[in-house]
Amino acid sequence: MSNKKTINVALIGNPNTGKTSLFNELTGLNQKVGNYPGVTVDKKEGQSKLQSNLKAIITDLPGTYSINPTSLDETIVLKTLLNSKSEKTPDVIVVVADVENLKRNLLLFSQIKDLEIPTILAINMADQMKRKGITIDLKLLKNELNNEVVLLSVRKDPEIGIQEVKKAIVKTYNSAKAFPLCNVNNRIDPAYFDRLKEINPKYSIYELWLMITQNSFPDKISEDEKKALLNFKNDSKNLKKYQHKETIYRYQKINEILKKTYLADRSKATDLRAKLDKVFTHKIFGYILFFTLLLLIFQSIFDWASLPMDLIDTVFANLSSYVNKTMPTGVLNNLISEGIIPGVGGIIIFIPQIAILFLFVSLLEETGYMSRVVFLMDKIMRRFGMSGKSVIPLISGTACAIPAVMATRNISGWKERLITILVTPFTTCSARLPVYAIIIALIIPDKKIFGILNLQGLTLLSLYILGFTTAIMAAVILHKTLKVKNTSFFVVEMPDYKLPSLKNVFFDVIEKTKAFIFGAGKIILSISIVLWFLASNGPQAYTDVEKHIKEKTVSQEISEVKFNQMVASAKLENSYIGIMGKSIEPLIKPLGYDWKIGIALISSFAAREVFVGTLATIYSVGSDDDDITTIKQRMALEINPETNTRRFNFPVGMSLLVFYAFAMQCMATLAIVKRETKSWKWPLIQFVGMGILAYVCSFVVFQILS
Amino acid sequence: MQEIIVYSSVGVAVFFLVKKFFFKKPKSKCNKDCDC
């Protein structure tokens, strides 16, 4: 009688761990492919000689990340494991893991260990360890896991690894001992699991737990036993909560073990990824590369966005003019052509900038470069109470604060994200440029210093530096004063470099653009309508404007255009918004402003660039770009009747520049801050805080200079 | 008729803003703090 014995061995592992390569090496040509009963999933089996008197039927089970199945393939794994009391089920399980992703692979291993089936951990791709800077204390790992652990390189050096695996299978089979790794029941709710065990003592606690959570039962279980378990499940309120706790605890345990036994030191790695990392995170070259890339990105944003933005502007201007001409005159015409269409246009016009910025951000994230930037910048930004991830919003704020505030979404720490949201509007956005341009042209002489540096250009650069410095200083103050719970730790996983998935990039850009249109857009449109109403309506004096101007100009010969400009200017003065401008005059007088600038300040709350257009209307000139010289000349000629000097002199101009540098004059940004923080509290704090700072600084500047 | 449409639109805009400003919806803190 032959004393040869055959045992069942199953190979289990995450996808792409080299499980099938190991199966091929173990079985050679002794393979057959069948089907699992009732399903079309391939069942691969083969024979392997372990010792002269011991053979193994090796089964290659489908790849799975855990035994909580999400697909048919993964269900097969769970079924096989739950049928462990039957004759055909594995005597030994070989869990194949990938050395680079050991943490993720150990989740599956820990679940199988808890089923108390004799198990081996085969860590594959060990030949990559040196290149990737990985070291493993194998002896300690075996002790910590209380399990056989084998290092192998199936592709590189199969002979050595395969013999080790065979020896480990025999050793594990002979010892026939299996110990759970996590004992999650003791950590979650021991009383609950004791009650579960009482329902069916034939099975282990973890088997019963899997049955009720995964709704999967062994073939041999009776209907009554199944019913009892289902009743227990239906009475359980905390099933989901306990499942979450189980995963958390498993990862805690895995982290604890790997902390002692596994070290991945990327600085010692020698693969392509490591070489790229060394350049991208280099103390000098890393920053040079990053800022060059940013320069290219922002150049592209301005270049690419300007054409569609001009197009949108033209389309809405034409639409507004078309509606104005074709609809019967009246308030409805005015509402649509001067309120709603410009309001909708004011939302749509931001789309090119938002979409292009997010296209770049998404591409940088997809390729894996963003994680390197975050790592690079984190040390610096953390000193100011922000995160490495705050760099992108702060720099993209120079284009527009709206996409910048939205770009804070990938900052995981709430406090760091909030600080970044609150300080980003200090960076000089493109909407400030028309305001800066006209005031600088008015108060700074067009001279060159040292023969090369333009004084006006230097002033503009100083305003950019002022904005960025204020953002950093505000961040430091907020970091020290904000009492917000913060749970952020610098944990950044460095993913492999890869070609971006265009599908992911496309959906990311669409999702973020949609969030802006439907989130902030509604608020911007509503405020536009209210502002239109305030600027187009007024008390009796407003309605009598045309009659008064006719009476005043009856003896003069003026063109129709000039007459209309005078009416528009007088109407604005007598409108509700004009009255508001006059009523805030005492408040803004210490800053050097009159009621006309007051109107421009109020109306530019809709958007900063409206400041120039409003002043153009007040000074009765057109607001087209071609007429900017005219606006400048009119502003330059405006006299302060009290002092009989120029209204826009150096102190007033500087005071205005400082005011616009600090004030939160952008309802669209406030709307997006509200949307991102899910509260009006933060945009209001931002509005008031930045307003007070702007007021105080403008006051100081004006008083000192005058 | 035009006035009715215009004043209704302004009314709706004001109502929307007041609602947004003063009436908070019950909100989850999940996207604010990973530790929730």
Side-chain angles (χ1 to χ4, degrees):
Chain A
M1 195 176 127
S2 166
N3 57 357
K4 278 190 180 175
K5 203 174 172 187
T6 304
I7 62 169
N8 292 316
V9 175
L11 303 184
I12 297 183
N14 288 187
N16 307 316
T17 49
K19 192 167 51 62
T20 304
S21 301
L22 177 62
F23 174 77
N24 291 339
E25 287 297 331
L26 282 169
T27 57
L29 293 171
N30 299 317
Q31 298 183 6
K32 61 174 181 178
V33 179
N35 266 22
Y36 286 98
V39 290
T40 53
V41 177
D42 282 351
K43 182 182 186 182
K44 287 173 83 178
E45 273 186 0
Q47 281 194 16
S48 181
K49 191 178 168 188
L50 301 175
Q51 281 181 339
S52 54
N53 61 345
L54 188 65
K55 256 192 339 185
I57 303 286
I58 314 271
T59 310
D60 181 14
L61 287 170
T64 181
Y65 289 103
S66 70
I67 46 176
N68 308 113
T70 54
S71 68
L72 195 59
D73 291 25
E74 292 177 358
T75 311
I76 299 291
V77 178
L78 178 66
K79 277 270 177 201
T80 308
L81 295 170
L82 283 181
N83 280 308
S84 63
K85 301 286 183 286
S86 77
E87 284 168 12
K88 282 193 172 180
T89 49
D91 298 296
V92 176
I93 285 177
V94 179
V95 177
V96 185
D98 159 16
V99 74
E100 208 185 353
N101 298 301
L102 196 55
K103 182 176 162 183
R104 193 184 67 206
N105 289 221
L106 284 182
L107 177 75
L108 176 66
F109 173 80
S110 74
Q111 287 181 310
I112 293 167
K113 278 284 282 179
D114 284 359
L115 285 169
E116 296 173 43
I117 304 170
T119 306
I120 298 166
L121 177 64
I123 304 175
N124 195 14
M125 304 180 202
D127 56 296
Q128 307 247 347
M129 284 169 65
K130 197 180 170 192
R131 282 178 59 221
K132 294 185 183 294
I134 298 169
T135 45
I136 297 175
D137 186 337
L138 201 61
K139 198 177 163 192
L140 190 57
L141 186 62
K142 282 181 188 177
N143 284 341
E144 289 291 328
L145 296 174
N146 200 2
N147 204 81
E148 279 298 318
V149 183
V150 181
L151 282 180
L152 75 157
S153 316
V154 183
R155 291 200 178 178
K156 197 93 175 170
D157 200 355
E159 275 309 306
I160 300 169
I162 297 306
Q163 292 313 316
E164 290 290 315
V165 171
K166 284 182 178 176
K167 277 183 203 165
I169 293 171
V170 175
K171 195 174 169 189
T172 306
Y173 174 72
N174 288 337
S175 72
K177 280 178 192 164
F179 308 95
L181 183 70
C182 291
N183 274 327
V184 281
N185 48 314
N186 289 339
R187 296 293 297 247
I188 300 172
D189 182 348
Y192 174 88
F193 285 94
D194 285 347
R195 287 202 305 278
L196 177 62
K197 179 76 181 167
E198 279 169 20
I199 291 178
N200 199 330
K202 277 200 296 191
Y203 294 96
S204 73
I205 290 180
Y206 195 56
E207 279 175 316
L208 293 167
W209 174 241
L210 282 175
M211 287 179 213
I212 61 166
T213 53
Q214 307 306 320
N215 241 354
S216 185
F217 298 91
D219 296 338
K220 284 186 177 175
I221 196 165
S222 72
E223 279 306 309
D224 286 346
E225 287 172 320
K226 200 169 160 179
K227 205 174 165 186
L229 282 167
L230 287 171
N231 284 340
F232 181 83
K233 179 189 177 175
N234 293 336
D235 292 341
S236 304
K237 289 173 190 166
N238 296 325
L239 212 64
K240 284 270 170 214
K241 196 174 139 191
Y242 287 170
Q243 276 185 287
H244 289 152
K245 279 191 171 183
E246 182 200 340
T247 311
I248 291 167
Y249 176 63
R250 282 190 190 282
Y251 272 118
Q252 278 175 351
K253 180 80 182 173
I254 291 166
N255 282 338
E256 216 174 86
I257 294 171
L258 289 183
K259 209 173 161 184
K260 297 179 204 165
T261 57
Y262 181 90
L263 179 71
D265 185 353
R266 297 294 313 168
S267 63
K268 288 182 183 164
T270 56
D271 57 355
L272 176 68
R273 179 188 141 155
K275 283 174 188 160
L276 286 174
D277 276 353
K278 272 177 191 157
V279 178
F280 290 147
T281 58
H282 191 270
K283 279 178 195 169
I284 299 162
F285 298 124
Y287 292 106
I288 294 174
L289 267 168
F290 174 54
F291 286 108
T292 311
L293 197 64
L294 278 181
L295 194 71
L296 287 172
I297 289 175
F298 288 107
Q299 197 62 46
S300 310
I301 290 174
F302 280 112
D303 283 353
W304 298 353
S306 63
L307 189 70
M309 282 174 94
D310 288 346
L311 191 71
I312 292 166
D313 208 14
T314 314
V315 167
F316 277 90
N318 289 342
L319 186 65
S320 179
S321 160
Y322 176 77
V323 169
N324 187 266
K325 281 174 191 161
T326 49
M327 265 184 78
T329 45
V331 275
L332 188 60
N333 180 321
N334 289 350
L335 170 70
I336 297 172
S337 64
E338 292 168 20
I340 294 176
I341 294 176
V344 174
I347 303 157
I348 307 287
I349 203 160
F350 287 113
I351 291 177
Q353 278 191 343
I354 290 175
I356 294 171
L357 179 72
F358 281 111
L359 173 73
F360 281 113
V361 171
S362 187
L363 282 173
L364 293 183
E365 276 175 352
E366 277 280 313
T367 51
Y369 178 69
M370 193 65 98
S371 306
R372 275 76 188 177
V373 172
V374 169
F375 173 77
L376 190 72
M377 297 302 292
D378 198 73
K379 271 185 202 164
I380 299 175
M381 300 308 284
R382 208 157 278 276
R383 286 183 199 162
F384 304 120
M386 289 184 274
S387 133
K389 292 177 183 173
S390 307
V391 173
I392 300 296
L394 281 180
I395 292 172
S396 56
T398 56
C400 178
I402 294 158
V405 168
M406 286 165 72
T408 61
R409 284 180 189 181
N410 62 355
I411 301 173
S412 54
W414 170 238
K415 188 175 177 182
E416 286 148 5
R417 185 172 169 219
L418 183 62
I419 291 175
T420 312
I421 289 174
L422 294 179
V423 305
T424 294
F426 279 119
T427 53
T428 303
C429 68
S430 56
R432 282 181 172 106
L433 272 179
V435 183
Y436 287 172
I438 199 159
I439 296 171
I440 288 174
L442 275 171
I443 62 162
I444 307 289
D446 189 9
K447 274 186 191 168
K448 284 196 172 170
I449 51 167
F450 308 122
I452 42 163
L453 298 169
N454 182 294
L455 201 57
Q456 291 186 337
L458 269 182
T459 313
L460 189 63
L461 181 67
S462 312
L463 286 164
Y464 271 86
I465 295 170
L466 176 72
F468 196 73
T469 315
T470 314
I472 296 289
M473 281 163 60
V476 175
I477 295 166
L478 287 169
H479 178 56
K480 289 189 176 157
T481 52
L482 272 183
K483 300 279 177 253
V484 176
K485 191 183 161 200
N486 193 26
T487 54
S488 167
F489 301 98
F490 183 55
V491 180
V492 60
E493 191 180 343
M494 297 282 196
D496 277 332
Y497 293 103
K498 61 174 193 247
L499 282 173
S501 150
L502 293 180
K503 196 175 153 193
N504 289 354
V505 171
F506 176 75
F507 284 121
D508 196 35
V509 172
I510 294 288
E511 190 265 324
K512 280 169 177 157
T513 311
K514 257 170 70 181
F516 164 70
I517 298 172
F518 297 108
K522 282 187 278 188
I523 299 171
I524 298 171
L525 182 63
S526 303
I527 297 181
S528 298
I529 291 173
V530 174
L531 274 179
W532 164 83
F533 179 80
L534 296 174
S536 321
N537 290 276
Q540 193 57 39
Y542 176 87
T543 36
D544 295 342
V545 156
E546 210 164 325
K547 205 173 88 187
H548 281 139
I549 301 224
K550 264 186 189 164
E551 285 168 7
K552 255 170 78 177
T553 57
V554 73
S555 56
Q556 301 165 21
E557 268 190 33
I558 54 162
S559 67
E560 198 188 332
V561 175
K562 178 78 182 161
F563 176 79
N564 287 341
Q565 284 172 346
M566 286 173 79
V567 171
S569 175
K571 273 194 165 179
L572 192 61
E573 186 183 340
N574 289 289
S575 66
Y576 291 121
I577 208 166
I579 296 165
M580 285 161 78
K582 283 192 169 176
S583 61
I584 64 161
E585 197 176 14
L587 190 72
I588 57 176
K589 214 172 174 182
L591 312 182
Y593 313 154
D594 63 354
W595 65 268
K596 290 179 183 176
I597 299 176
I599 293 179
L601 288 183
I602 294 171
S603 61
S604 70
F605 172 66
R608 291 181 178 97
E609 62 269 35
V610 173
F611 177 81
V612 180
T614 309
L615 285 181
T617 313
I618 297 167
Y619 296 130
S620 301
V621 289
S623 58
D624 292 342
D625 281 351
D626 297 342
D627 291 332
I628 198 153
T629 334
T630 325
I631 301 169
K632 210 174 92 183
Q633 283 169 353
R634 287 294 310 212
M635 286 169 80
L637 291 171
E638 184 72 7
I639 298 293
N640 181 349
E642 287 174 23
T643 57
N644 232 5
T645 54
R646 283 168 55 205
R647 163 65 64 198
F648 290 95
N649 55 14
F650 187 70
V652 173
M654 287 306 288
S655 166
L656 267 172
L657 285 179
V658 170
F659 188 87
Y660 272 90
F662 295 148
M664 183 59 173
Q665 290 282 98
C666 182
M667 67 171 183
T669 306
L670 285 172
I672 206 76
V673 171
K674 189 263 160 189
R675 198 187 168 282
E676 294 297 309
T677 58
K678 291 191 167 55
S679 153
W680 276 110
K681 180 181 155 192
W682 297 112
L684 282 176
I685 288 175
Q686 198 173 30
F687 179 67
V688 174
M690 289 176 75
I692 292 172
L693 182 70
Y695 188 87
V696 171
C697 291
S698 300
F699 174 78
V700 171
V701 166
F702 179 71
Q703 297 301 328
I704 290 173
L705 294 176
S706 56
Chain B
M1 185 62 191
Q2 284 200 17
E3 275 81 3
I4 295 172
I5 299 171
V6 170
Y7 287 113
S8 311
S9 307
V10 177
V12 168
V14 172
F15 174 76
F16 174 74
L17 290 171
V18 169
K19 197 176 132 234
K20 281 267 173 194
F21 267 102
F22 300 107
F23 298 97
K24 283 183 186 170
K25 272 188 260 175
K27 59 180 187 280
S28 156
K29 284 194 173 180
C30 283
N31 60 346
K32 287 184 176 180
D33 194 335
C34 302
D35 209 26
C36 66

